[in-house]
Amino acid sequence: QLQDSQRLLQDVVDNMDVVVFVKDLLGRFMLVNQRYENTVGINKKDILGKNDYDLHSPAEANQVRSDDLTVLNSINLLKTEETLMFHGQLYTFITSKIPLLDKDGQPYAICGVATDITERKRMEETLRISEAHFKAIFNSAAAGIVLVNPAGYFLQSNAKWLSMIGYSLEELSRLTPLE
């Protein structure tokens, strides 16, 4: 019955689309799911019993362990963004950690659930760069440029366009398209 229960728990966590792990009070992995194995590129049997210092750089392991200790000492949920290196690639996670408590309310382990947001972070950075390029071109263009909404109201203009029409952007924001 115990084996069936353990198998059920492992089947549940293995089929989740997030990284799931449980560590003991010393930070040694007691349970990881299939997503964790796939992300770190290490077989579960080679992870269990190890700690973050065995899997990460000292700086990364120090930060992860510090977060673990914060959770264990406060006995509260901690939600944080973590950036970790696995097989030469940086991954960014939103990680929620909670202490697991015994019947007396004392922590005996820490459970973590981490959502991989690496691709979202890459897209945000690409968008940030693209917006910076657009803004630089828009503001330094030799031609007058203006952006209007579908109703024709002024949203944005560059300095060249404002000098051509003789209005400030603040003045234009008070005018209707017809004016």
Side-chain angles (χ1 to χ4, degrees):
Q1 199 173 21
L2 178 60
Q3 287 176 336
D4 289 344
S5 180
Q6 288 173 329
R7 189 175 318 111
L8 174 65
L9 173 62
Q10 191 66 54
D11 287 346
V12 169
V13 298
D14 277 343
N15 287 291
M16 297 179 78
D17 192 29
V18 291
V19 169
V20 178
F21 58 88
V22 175
K23 296 186 256 182
D24 67 16
L25 297 179
L26 297 176
R28 295 176 299 216
F29 287 92
M30 301 168 63
L31 178 144
V32 297
N33 69 344
Q34 187 66 49
R35 181 73 179 238
Y36 191 101
E37 282 184 85
N38 295 344
T39 301
V40 302
I42 301 173
N43 189 291
K44 184 184 310 182
K45 67 178 174 40
D46 296 323
I47 297 170
L48 298 179
K50 295 203 169 136
N51 63 41
D52 289 299
Y53 291 94
D54 298 319
L55 303 174
H56 304 294
S57 71
E60 291 174 340
N62 285 339
Q63 184 58 56
V64 170
R65 185 63 181 155
S66 175
D67 290 345
D68 290 353
L69 292 174
T70 297
V71 170
L72 292 171
N73 292 328
S74 69
I75 308 185
N76 285 316
L77 165 76
L78 175 68
K79 191 170 188 176
T80 185
E81 185 173 302
E82 295 177 324
T83 301
L84 301 168
M85 180 77 70
F86 295 113
H87 42 82
Q89 182 178 347
L90 276 179
Y91 287 83
T92 305
F93 300 93
I94 296 293
T95 303
S96 297
K97 296 180 179 182
I98 58 167
L100 300 179
L101 307 176
D102 65 18
K103 63 180 176 14
D104 298 322
Q106 295 302 308
Y108 68 90
I110 185 167
C111 177
V113 176
T115 302
D116 185 352
I117 61 166
T118 305
E119 189 57 35
R120 184 179 90 190
K121 294 297 262 186
R122 285 187 191 126
M123 290 183 342
E124 287 172 355
E125 180 62 12
T126 300
L127 179 59
R128 187 194 65 73
I129 291 168
S130 177
E131 287 175 342
H133 288 157
F134 171 78
K135 190 174 186 175
I137 292 167
F138 185 86
N139 289 330
S140 64
I145 303 173
V146 64
L147 297 175
V148 295
N149 69 13
Y153 288 93
F154 302 103
L155 298 174
Q156 192 175 357
S157 66
N158 67 359
K160 180 67 175 176
W161 191 78
L162 293 173
S163 71
M164 290 169 48
I165 63 162
Y167 286 100
S168 71
L169 190 55
E170 183 182 321
E171 292 170 315
L172 284 176
S173 68
R174 294 190 300 254
L175 298 175
T176 66
L178 191 54
E179 290 171 325

